[in-house]
Amino acid sequence: MRILQNRLYIYRIHIIAWSVFIFWETVVVVYWVGMLGTFGNYAIHYIINITFFYTYAFLLEKATGFPKGALWKVPIVVISSISIYLGIVTGVDILLNTYTNILPGELPSLRIRIAKVLYRGSFFLIFSTGYYFLKRFIREKTEKSRIEKQRFQTLLEKEKMEKELAMSKNAFMKAQINPHLLFNTFEFVHQKLNTYAPEDAKVMLYLSDMMRFAANTQHNEGFVYLGEEILQCENLIALHQITQGTIYIELASAPDLDEIKLIPLVLLTILENMFKHGNLHDIENKATIAVYTFDGKLHIESRNLPRLIKSKAGFGSGMDNISNRLKYAYHQDAEMIAGMDEEGFYTLNISISLNALSKAPKIKKTEHTIPAE
């Protein structure tokens, strides 16, 4: 019963349209002829006509499915459909007149009957053709609307991703002051400290080199050499060892990474996240960062114990920024998975196709100021 109700609801417009049409035709026939036919006559012939209407529309849709063959398929469909309709209606009329009382009296001559049936068939054929074009128009309009909606959604997602990318860049760059003033100040402070505390003076060199690298990323079309960012990670580790004492963190990188170009601040953000949220004072459970290439991909893997007391400063935002920037820059060629493993370590795994990385433009290398030991 439920299925029948659903069917009636879906095809309610068709049911209403045919009901109105049959009522209108009946009224017209009664008015002009002055008599009402039998119920059986109406029922049988309208079933044939309605079946012919939808069958012809279906065959026309199939014939025009491939435009190249429509030129000869459509005439065949028209001729064959009207011929079959003529044969069925003529045959049914003969049977009804011979074996039932549904069609009382003598049938008109065969010529008149054929003329009437052809007229009737042409009438439904024309309306069926109109129904086919209306159905096609609605379908194409719906498909066009769907494509436009999908295109609009894509543009919205692209705009959202671009905004998130800009925000992630600004989060690092917005507080930057004039680089020349900053570097000159670092050099001045370094010279003053070097006389009295040479070890502390190194802090200024590390900071100067890192800020020079950060400033230089603005002029490299959004990419840096991976070897340069690895060097800045080493500077940052050395800086924390001076300011915080002994920390246990290992940075391992393969020797073939220097010429690989990557969006900036990925490794530095991972390392900064370790300093904010990781326990780096457990010698038995050192934090690790590994960078290497394997199976046509660049792999970045990190592992560290989290602090017992979580830092609330920017918690999780750095990792979200990395994920958004990788998605924007490399799309499906980059994958990032982060979370806690079974042993209670926070792990991060990034893989990027080397083919995608090779598309980055040529960039200039940063000049470093850290002297060799």
Side-chain angles (χ1 to χ4, degrees), residues 30 86 103-104 115 148 159 173 194 236 241 282 304 306 318 372-373:
V30 172
L86 176 63
L103 294 178
E148 287 295 327
E159 182 180 359
M173 296 295 186
N194 194 44
L236 185 58
Q241 286 176 336
D282 188 343
N304 65 274
E373 296 292 341

Side-chain angles (χ1 to χ4, degrees), residues 106-125:
E106 294 293 330
L107 291 175
S109 65
L110 181 61
R111 182 178 179 181
I112 295 176
R113 278 184 286 152
I114 291 176
K116 288 183 177 180
V117 172
L118 287 177
Y119 169 78
R120 189 69 166 165
S122 300
F123 176 82
F124 284 107
L125 184 143

Side-chain angles (χ1 to χ4, degrees), residues 246-291:
T246 303
I247 56 175
Y248 300 100
I249 182 170
E250 293 182 352
L251 174 60
S253 59
D256 58 344
L257 304 177
D258 288 349
E259 298 303 316
I260 292 179
K261 294 182 281 287
L262 182 68
I263 56 175
L265 310 179
V266 173
L267 289 177
L268 282 170
T269 303
I270 294 172
L271 188 58
E272 180 188 9
N273 194 68
M274 280 186 171
F275 288 126
K276 282 184 178 180
H277 309 294
N279 178 7
L280 307 181
H281 300 284
D282 188 343
I283 191 173
E284 300 296 331
N285 296 288
K286 295 181 179 180
T288 61
I289 300 178
V291 189

Side-chain angles (χ1 to χ4, degrees), residues 236-248:
L236 185 58
I237 293 172
L239 183 62
H240 275 267
Q241 286 176 336
I242 292 174
T243 58
Q244 298 183 12
T246 303
I247 56 175
Y248 300 100

